[in-house]
Amino acid sequence: MFGIEDFWSYALILPVAVGVLLGALVLVWWERRLLGWWQDRLGPNRVGWFGSLQALADLIKLLTKDDWLPPFGDRVFFILAPIIVTAAMLLAFVVVPFTPVLVIVESNIALLWFLAMSAMAVYGVLLGGLSSNNKYALLGGLRAAAQMVTYEVFLALSILGVVMLSGSFSLVDIVENQRDGLWHFIPQALGLVIFVIAGLAETHRLPFDLPEAEHELTAGFHTEYSGMKFGLIMAAEYVALILLSCLIVILFFGGWLGPSFLPPVVWFGIKVVIVINFFILLRAAIPRPRYDQLMSLGWKILLPLTLVNILATGAWVLGTQG
Amino acid sequence: MTPLILFYVAGFVTLASAILAITRTNASHALIYLVVALLAIAVIFFLLGSPFAAALQIVVYAGAIVVLFLFVVMMLNLGKSSVARERELLTRGIWTLPSLLALVLFAVVLFALVSGDHEAGAQARMIEPKEVGIALYTKYVLAVELAGVLLLAALVGAYHLGRRYLADRREEEESS
């Protein structure tokens, strides 16, 4: 049942997981440096060369901190919550093709698997808020649940245009489909914009970080978390950012495709880094909306727009291919 | 052989977590068992050759619907008192009759399995997402349309309820 090809793809599991987690660790420092630069302040610049060991110092601090369990909460859920978030986000990487060969599982439901795993990540946030038995955490969890369920709809609907153009849910097929024609960000510009907005809401990063808005909710759903459990939640957030950037590159910017003077995996890496930096720039540039504004933006503007996008793409596909 | 073992494992997990989902008195614990049951059903779909149905099972049921259940449970602020009340609810008088009826259904299924032909099971194969789409919009298009109408009715109903609430609140604000 397990051939030599299977062996190679399973051998990839560990390097991918370690690589993604290391990427998340580097991002903690990189994001703070970039934010400091854009906001005219220093940022972490003391530990190591240009502060590059700051993330390591943070990690040591988190690992040696007292790992406190709230005695008034639900212990099992409290411990499970960070595990669920991190596991779901890492599992989603199973289907991400870095190049046609560098992919753990190539599947014709890869895109649906990504959606399923981002749906599972909601439970981590929700259970974290529920089990802390703290009003700020509960409010954060409630916000997270409503926000993530809402934006999951647009996350799924916005990529249907890409799926229609490529005729497949397989991420490898979607990239190959962009080889001869235009990369999807031109015909699916609307889909790209909505995917970016929905993805930001799904990863609850800064413009849309209402579940953990520190001005109103202390730290939202992870108020009671300390030590490495908090570290896991942070890591999951950065893993989600990397995942989202990989998906954007694969779906809209041609994945590993590029002029042949660089190997495919380098092209993929360059594009992902550019998209990640764009997300950090968004964080630096855009203030947080009010919660009802976020919800009405979703249902009143994004939903009709995605439906129009699907209709137009469907008509185009029918007109040119049908 | 491996898929068969996996099937039995997934089936066992489904049944065990479904029973636990019914008998737990803490509502949020019960819901998490329900999620586990739904995920195990997704595994069964996958083993039966429909990865598309499996993925949709996770996205729609485990990912969206139970999240909304949990959302409501969080709003209700259920504490120790509600756990005690739940415990009283699950008396023998209440669960005997449903279990008997379920047992009858189980007997029917067993009978069908023992006496019926097994052609359908033998023809199981991988179903591509495209095939599902084509079947939905040709053979089963009426069912899809009907489901759409049903969902539209739910949407209009929810809007109506929400609007009445907003109108009431506006009146209150004007009068105060």
Side-chain angles (χ1 to χ4, degrees):
Chain A
M1 192 169 169
F2 297 101
I4 185 78
E5 282 172 24
D6 287 328
F7 173 76
W8 279 116
S9 56
Y10 292 127
L12 267 178
I13 293 174
L14 196 64
V16 167
V18 171
V20 166
L21 285 173
L22 277 181
L25 196 63
V26 172
L27 266 183
V28 175
W29 162 73
W30 180 243
E31 172 159 41
R32 287 170 65 191
R33 277 302 286 194
L34 271 189
L35 284 178
W37 186 49
W38 280 325
Q39 294 171 345
D40 253 347
R41 52 194 177 80
L42 288 174
N45 65 346
R46 295 305 155 103
V47 192
W49 187 70
F50 282 105
S52 56
L53 295 178
Q54 180 67 42
L56 203 65
D58 287 348
L59 186 71
I60 293 170
K61 186 192 88 176
L62 283 175
L63 282 172
T64 50
K65 249 171 112 171
D66 184 16
D67 200 354
W68 185 70
L69 285 175
F72 42 79
D74 189 324
R75 286 177 64 99
V76 180
F77 282 177
F78 191 82
I79 297 169
L80 264 182
I83 301 175
I84 295 176
V85 197
T86 318
M89 280 304 142
L90 282 177
L91 273 176
F93 268 95
V94 163
V95 293
V96 172
F98 302 100
T99 70
V101 243
L102 269 177
V103 49
I104 298 173
V105 175
E106 209 237 299
S107 156
N108 61 354
I109 56 156
L111 208 47
L112 292 169
W113 176 256
F114 156 70
L115 291 174
M117 285 306 112
S118 62
M120 285 294 101
V122 183
Y123 282 104
V125 179
L126 205 55
L127 290 180
L130 181 66
S131 65
S132 298
N133 204 3
N134 163 318
K135 59 187 160 209
Y136 295 119
L138 185 74
L139 280 172
L142 280 177
R143 281 186 178 184
Q147 170 178 333
M148 288 170 89
V149 168
T150 302
Y151 277 84
E152 226 162 70
V153 176
F154 316 124
L155 197 70
L157 286 177
S158 62
I159 49 187
L160 279 188
V162 172
V163 174
M164 272 191 239
L165 285 179
S166 342
S168 172
F169 283 112
S170 153
L171 293 173
V172 176
D173 287 355
I174 287 173
V175 175
E176 285 304 325
N177 181 261
Q178 301 174 62
R179 185 179 289 277
D180 301 321
L182 288 169
W183 286 356
H184 286 150
F185 73 96
I186 296 170
Q188 283 297 315
L190 195 58
L192 172 64
V193 171
I194 295 165
F195 187 78
V196 167
I197 295 174
L200 268 180
E202 196 68 15
T203 52
H204 42 89
R205 275 179 59 78
L206 192 73
F208 297 146
D209 71 337
L210 292 134
E212 48 195 285
E214 66 269 19
H215 304 121
E216 5 179 339
L217 292 181
T218 323
F221 68 93
H222 56 61
T223 306
E224 298 291 349
Y225 282 91
S226 62
M228 203 50 217
K229 290 200 192 67
F230 170 75
L232 266 188
I233 292 177
M234 282 305 281
E237 203 174 312
Y238 283 99
V239 171
L241 175 64
I242 300 174
L243 176 69
L244 187 68
S245 307
C246 288
L247 256 296
I248 287 173
V249 166
I250 291 166
L251 293 174
F252 296 100
F253 292 98
W256 56 82
L257 301 177
S260 59
F261 58 85
L262 284 175
V265 70
V266 175
W267 278 117
F268 189 84
I270 291 173
K271 289 175 189 172
V272 168
V273 167
I274 291 172
V275 174
I276 288 176
N277 286 342
F278 172 70
F279 275 117
I280 297 174
L281 179 62
L282 278 186
R283 173 176 182 162
I286 303 177
R288 182 188 297 142
R290 231 168 45 216
Y291 193 66
D292 60 315
Q293 291 170 333
L294 176 76
M295 287 315 228
S296 56
L297 167 76
W299 291 113
K300 290 178 186 163
I301 300 173
L302 295 186
L303 182 65
L305 276 180
T306 46
L307 293 179
V308 165
N309 184 37
I310 291 174
L311 195 69
T313 314
W316 164 260
V317 170
L318 202 66
T320 52
Q321 297 169 16
Chain B
M1 243 4 236
T2 330
L4 202 63
I5 297 166
L6 287 176
F7 174 81
Y8 282 118
V9 171
F12 173 75
V13 172
T14 311
L15 287 178
S17 49
I19 290 169
L20 282 168
I22 296 167
T23 54
R24 290 303 90 184
T25 45
N26 184 326
S28 49
H29 290 190
L31 280 174
I32 293 306
Y33 279 115
L34 184 61
V35 175
V36 175
L38 291 168
L39 290 177
I41 293 173
V43 173
I44 294 177
F45 280 154
F46 192 84
L47 291 172
L48 288 178
S50 186
F52 186 68
L56 285 192
Q57 168 86 7
I58 302 178
V59 174
V60 176
Y61 286 96
I65 291 177
V66 184
V67 168
L68 292 180
F69 283 12
L70 209 56
F71 186 76
V72 173
V73 167
M74 283 168 89
M75 294 270 223
L76 294 178
N77 191 20
L78 302 170
K80 289 204 171 69
S81 60
S82 72
V83 171
R85 203 169 57 231
E86 278 269 334
R87 199 164 282 146
E88 284 165 23
L89 275 178
L90 206 69
T91 54
R92 188 173 294 166
I94 285 179
W95 61 257
T96 330
L97 195 59
S99 326
L100 269 179
L101 290 174
L103 213 63
V104 172
L105 264 184
F106 181 63
V108 172
V109 172
L110 266 188
F111 178 74
L113 281 177
V114 171
S115 66
D117 60 329
H118 304 280
E119 287 292 303
Q123 284 165 358
R125 63 190 175 84
M126 288 295 261
I127 307 280
E128 300 272 320
K130 209 173 217 164
E131 286 178 62
V132 181
I134 290 170
L136 277 181
Y137 282 94
T138 52
K139 203 171 163 189
Y140 301 110
V141 71
L142 192 64
V144 172
E145 297 279 342
L146 283 178
V149 172
L150 201 64
L151 289 174
L152 186 67
L155 199 67
V156 172
Y159 177 70
H160 176 69
L161 289 174
R163 206 180 56 146
R164 206 167 57 186
Y165 169 75
L166 278 181
D168 284 352
R169 249 198 9 192
R170 212 166 289 135
E171 265 172 33
E172 266 171 36
E173 273 166 19
E174 277 165 12
S175 64
S176 62

